[in-house]
Amino acid sequence: MINTILTDIEGTTSSIHFVHEVLFPYAAKNLPEFVRNNHAKPEVSSALQDVAALAGIAANDLEALIAQLLRWISDDKKVTPLKSLQGLVWEHGYRNGDYQAHIYADALASLKAWHQQGLDLYVYSSGSVYAQKLFFEFNEGGDLSGLFKGYFDTVTGAKREAESYQKIQKAIGKPASEILFLSDIVEELDAAAEVGMHTAWLQRDAAEMEYHPHHRCVRSFANIELSNL
């Protein structure tokens, strides 16, 4: 019986376009000044040290670090220190009212309904946990942060590796057979299924539905029937 939902964000609860056309450009535009003004703060300094180690750049070469971060943004790299810094930059945008996070109406309705039914809701996204919390706090659907019991990001592990889902399952403290993972990426679903989680493949923008022998294939959250899993 499913009693726990673990959901991706981009392409699943929310439009890919919001991330790529709003959040990423905002970070690219504002990150350089943010880093220059805040590089001495502990959370920023720690992330920059990780950038330096990953890229082989001197930790005190601020402009080179900024250039590397901008390259990673351009290449859509899932790099943990970049995600941490993006989250800090996005916070300013959210709190300043520059934008609100997008959510699909069907995702909003289902997440609220599942929460009311007593299901435990969790998020697993390549964006930092901090960015995830901001996303659901400053949302078109209102402050949704109260719906979720926990958040996981790439600190837990890569989203296409089964070990990551095993760690999440242990952190949640429920059998994998009681957890449903939602994503628009088949390789992520494969990894979750490998540890025994139920899976649903969101295909929101596909011209034609593809079918998979191991994953339930749906257009929206409205098509997910937990009693049939």
Side-chain angles (χ1 to χ4, degrees):
M1 178 180 177
I2 302 296
N3 56 40
T4 303
I5 307 292
L6 175 67
T7 184
D8 173 47
I9 295 178
E10 182 181 339
T12 303
T13 65
S14 313
S15 171
I16 292 174
H17 299 296
F18 171 72
V19 176
H20 287 269
E21 297 177 9
V22 177
L23 290 183
F24 284 178
Y26 189 90
K29 179 181 178 181
N30 292 279
L31 185 142
E33 182 180 2
F34 175 85
V35 169
R36 293 185 188 109
N37 291 341
N38 298 280
H39 62 90
K41 293 183 177 179
E43 65 272 26
V44 178
S45 176
S46 177
L48 290 175
Q49 289 176 22
D50 291 341
V51 173
L54 287 170
I57 298 172
N60 61 354
D61 191 342
L62 201 59
E63 293 307 312
L65 294 172
I66 290 171
Q68 181 63 64
L69 287 162
L70 294 176
R71 282 193 293 272
W72 280 341
I73 291 175
S74 177
D75 295 339
D76 191 19
K77 294 293 186 181
K78 312 297 185 184
V79 184
T80 298
L82 168 63
K83 296 300 180 182
S84 297
L85 290 168
Q86 283 177 319
L88 294 171
V89 174
W90 290 332
E91 178 183 16
H92 174 76
Y94 283 120
R95 295 193 184 282
N96 196 46
D98 294 339
Y99 45 74
Q100 290 181 307
H102 169 266
I103 189 167
Y104 289 110
D106 58 272
L108 177 63
S110 292
L111 290 169
K112 285 185 172 181
W114 290 334
H115 178 71
Q116 290 173 354
Q117 292 164 19
L119 276 71
D120 293 336
L121 307 181
Y122 293 85
V123 179
Y124 182 28
S125 172
S126 58
S128 69
V129 165
Y130 191 65
Q132 295 173 33
K133 290 179 177 179
L134 289 169
F135 186 98
F136 286 108
E137 180 179 356
F138 297 94
N139 197 279
E140 292 173 352
D143 183 355
L144 307 178
S145 56
L147 299 180
F148 299 97
K149 293 197 68 174
Y151 304 81
F152 301 93
D153 60 17
T154 53
V155 172
T156 299
K159 295 189 70 184
R160 302 188 184 199
E161 295 181 2
E163 183 181 0
S164 303
Y165 298 87
Q166 189 171 48
K167 290 179 180 177
I168 290 172
Q169 178 261 315
K170 289 181 179 179
I172 290 174
K174 302 269 188 77
S177 60
E178 296 179 3
I179 301 171
L180 170 64
F181 176 54
L182 311 176
S183 177
D184 63 322
I185 305 296
V186 171
E187 291 82 1
E188 296 176 4
L189 298 167
D190 289 342
E194 191 173 330
V195 303
M197 291 185 184
H198 295 272
T199 54
W201 181 12
L202 274 293
Q203 299 181 41
R204 294 187 177 277
D205 300 321
E208 294 184 9
M209 284 282 290
E210 293 184 50
Y211 292 92
H212 195 285
H214 304 302
H215 310 306
R216 183 172 294 274
C217 303
V218 296
R219 284 287 189 188
S220 77
F221 279 43
N223 304 131
I224 299 170
E225 298 181 13
L226 300 181
S227 60
N228 293 334
L229 295 173

